[in-house]
Amino acid sequence: MKLQIEVDDHGTIVDARFKTFGCGSAIASSSLATEWVKGKSVDEALTIKNTDIAKELCLPPVKLHCSMLAEDAIKAALADYRRKQQDDQQEAVRASV
Amino acid sequence: MLSYNSLRIVRPFRALLHPNWLMTNRQTLTCSAHCVSNNFPKKDTWQRQNNLKPTGNERKLQYSTYAASSPRNYCTGQFNLNCWNCKQPLDQTPAFFCMTCKAVQPPEEDTSLFNIMDCDYKFSMDTRKLQKRYLHLQRSLHPDNFSQKSVQEQEYSESYSALVNKAYHTLLKPLSRGLYMLELKGMVIEEGTDSGADPEFLMELMEINEALDEVKTPEEANKIGQHTKGKLAVLTEEIDAALLKGELQSAKALLAQMKYFANIEEKVKEKLSEFM
């Protein structure tokens, strides 16, 4: 499952794309995740829970882990964004010195 | 040839700590039990003799001498030890047909698929021998051969034929064979969760999947197919080694990897058929 987010300067997610190889539930979970994060701020997106995804898609019990994967993907994307923000800030500090 | 009609358990009584005791007072515990069936009206006897004299001050063990003999009915779990039709004992296991009246038998519960296909219980498999055995069995067991026979026989041939099918397909592919061997040892790979998969491996899979998605020619798809086959061959060797050594956990992890690559192999096939 691959999830990409595009965040503007205000910290709002303006676009999201996914690429998933796997079962239908996994593809659906990641697709729904991209729909939900669009328009949300970075902090709001962090509140998305796998249980919400599973409920929305009516996932059967054996496929619940797919929604977990989607939640993990969102969190990983946001963590990566945070990391890059910090790197940029450090860059800026170094540049101004 | 294994006789089911009498079951004899001999257990040497293990004495405890005192060495003298070990030498002098070793007793055997013998019980013999006989299955009761229509043709064997023997009485069952169960005798136990226990003469143990404690030595010295070590332990005061109280044992009473006890010999009892009473008729007992003792049933084994397997009901179809005798032919359902002519009641003669079935000589072999698994018994497909009765030796005496030639009637088809129902499959016994919990017979190992390896037994049915007459294959050694190991991961490396001669698939040609397996296929020969499969065809040989189906030639005699297939329901088409029983269209003129009794309903009972038709039912039995149906269930046995289906079981042979299942056995063949399970043992044919290394992945299902390995998974079945783990299952026999009580280990099941749960559906879905593979939280133990290492991220690098997952990344590798993601890249293969992406590459496969973007192929434009059958040659490119074939290249990925070859690469995957190579990985599968390596994994097969590793799983064989792990199972021989009894390392079930590592076999399980390797089989999980094999599952991913088997999926990719399937996708390659689909991709190639799209090009046609």
Side-chain angles (χ1 to χ4, degrees):
Chain A
M1 205 183 268
K2 234 189 213 181
L3 186 73
Q4 277 181 301
I5 52 175
E6 191 184 334
V7 188
D8 68 10
D9 298 325
H10 307 291
T12 314
I13 301 171
V14 297
D15 199 11
R17 303 290 169 102
F18 77 97
K19 192 187 257 187
T20 302
F21 295 103
C23 67
S25 302
I27 298 173
S29 301
S30 47
S31 174
L32 186 60
T34 51
E35 291 300 309
W36 276 358
V37 299
K38 272 189 235 188
K40 285 200 167 61
S41 76
V42 168
D43 296 317
E44 286 167 350
L46 274 175
T47 65
I48 295 178
K49 286 261 152 295
N50 67 314
T51 43
D52 301 326
I53 298 177
K55 201 156 156 215
E56 179 71 22
L57 294 172
C58 306
L59 291 183
V62 329
K63 293 294 180 182
L64 288 179
H65 62 282
C66 293
S67 60
M68 194 67 233
L69 265 179
E71 183 191 324
D72 288 348
I74 297 175
K75 295 213 160 41
L78 293 169
D80 188 56
Y81 165 75
R82 279 254 142 72
R83 214 175 312 129
K84 288 190 173 143
Q85 286 296 94
Q86 286 181 347
D87 287 348
D88 284 349
Q89 281 168 1
Q90 287 174 353
E91 269 290 328
V93 168
R94 270 190 291 249
S96 64
V97 166
Chain B
M1 193 168 83
L2 200 64
S3 163
Y4 285 109
N5 295 327
S6 69
L7 198 67
R8 207 144 151 262
I9 305 165
V10 176
R11 281 210 309 251
F13 175 80
R14 290 283 209 85
L16 298 164
L17 306 159
H18 201 280
N20 274 348
W21 194 349
L22 272 171
M23 291 299 149
T24 57
N25 288 339
R26 197 151 156 256
Q27 302 293 325
T28 50
L29 188 78
T30 314
C31 40
S32 50
H34 297 260
C35 328
V36 174
S37 76
N38 293 336
N39 298 339
F40 299 98
K42 284 192 196 130
K43 285 214 178 80
D44 292 337
T45 57
W46 187 339
Q47 294 162 338
R48 191 172 87 189
Q49 283 150 4
N50 234 333
N51 279 330
L52 295 162
K53 301 186 192 71
T55 60
N57 322 332
E58 276 91 28
R59 294 186 186 211
K60 298 259 183 265
L61 292 164
Q62 305 289 335
Y63 283 91
S64 56
T65 311
Y66 162 27
S69 123
S70 58
R72 264 183 217 268
N73 281 343
Y74 179 83
C75 273
T76 65
Q78 293 167 308
F79 295 107
N80 35 344
L81 297 172
N82 289 347
C83 173
W84 58 276
N85 195 29
C86 66
K87 313 295 179 222
Q88 291 305 306
L90 301 168
D91 284 340
Q92 23 148 291
T93 184
F96 299 102
F97 291 94
C98 172
M99 292 284 114
T100 318
C101 69
K102 311 289 178 218
V104 64
Q105 301 299 311
E108 282 167 50
E109 275 184 51
D110 301 331
T111 313
S112 142
L113 301 182
F114 283 93
N115 270 345
I116 294 180
M117 302 309 282
D118 191 30
C119 285
D120 297 328
Y121 174 56
K122 52 189 173 74
F123 187 64
S124 48
M125 166 83 56
D126 181 356
T127 47
R128 274 214 314 247
K129 177 176 170 227
L130 180 72
Q131 191 182 33
K132 267 196 171 138
R133 170 85 173 164
Y134 171 61
L135 293 173
H136 171 76
L137 283 176
Q138 289 291 29
R139 215 161 273 141
S140 40
L141 284 173
H142 196 275
D144 285 353
N145 299 339
F146 293 84
S147 49
Q148 303 300 322
K149 300 268 175 70
S150 67
V151 175
Q152 185 73 292
E153 281 197 87
Q154 283 182 11
E155 277 178 25
Y156 287 158
S157 99
E158 227 173 275
S159 51
Y160 229 139
S161 183
L163 185 59
V164 167
N165 256 341
K166 177 180 162 192
Y168 173 65
H169 286 105
T170 307
L171 299 180
L172 184 65
K173 297 278 173 217
L175 179 59
S176 47
R177 194 190 315 144
L179 291 173
Y180 177 66
M181 284 176 80
L182 283 187
E183 207 183 297
L184 284 178
K185 293 259 172 31
M187 243 197 199
V188 182
I189 297 198
E190 295 88 29
E191 185 65 56
T193 37
D194 192 7
S195 42
D198 110 78
E200 262 181 46
F201 176 63
L202 290 177
M203 198 59 208
E204 185 189 342
L205 288 169
M206 188 76 177
E207 285 169 7
I208 299 178
N209 272 309
E210 282 179 317
L212 185 58
D213 222 24
E214 291 162 13
V215 295
K216 309 242 177 7
T217 66
E219 288 78 29
E220 287 174 23
N222 266 325
K223 226 171 94 182
I224 299 179
Q226 290 304 328
H227 173 79
T228 309
K229 277 197 172 53
K231 289 273 178 178
L232 283 170
V234 167
L235 279 171
T236 307
E237 297 246 342
E238 291 176 351
I239 293 170
D240 192 14
L243 284 171
L244 279 174
K245 282 191 252 172
E247 288 166 10
L248 297 181
Q249 285 296 346
S250 58
K252 183 177 174 183
L254 290 166
L255 280 166
Q257 287 189 10
M258 200 183 221
K259 235 184 186 183
Y260 284 113
F261 283 111
N263 281 344
I264 296 181
E265 215 182 11
E266 278 298 316
K267 288 190 198 165
V268 169
K269 279 195 196 140
E270 278 171 37
K271 211 51 181 198
L272 284 172
S273 67
E274 277 173 31
F275 282 121
M276 295 201 194

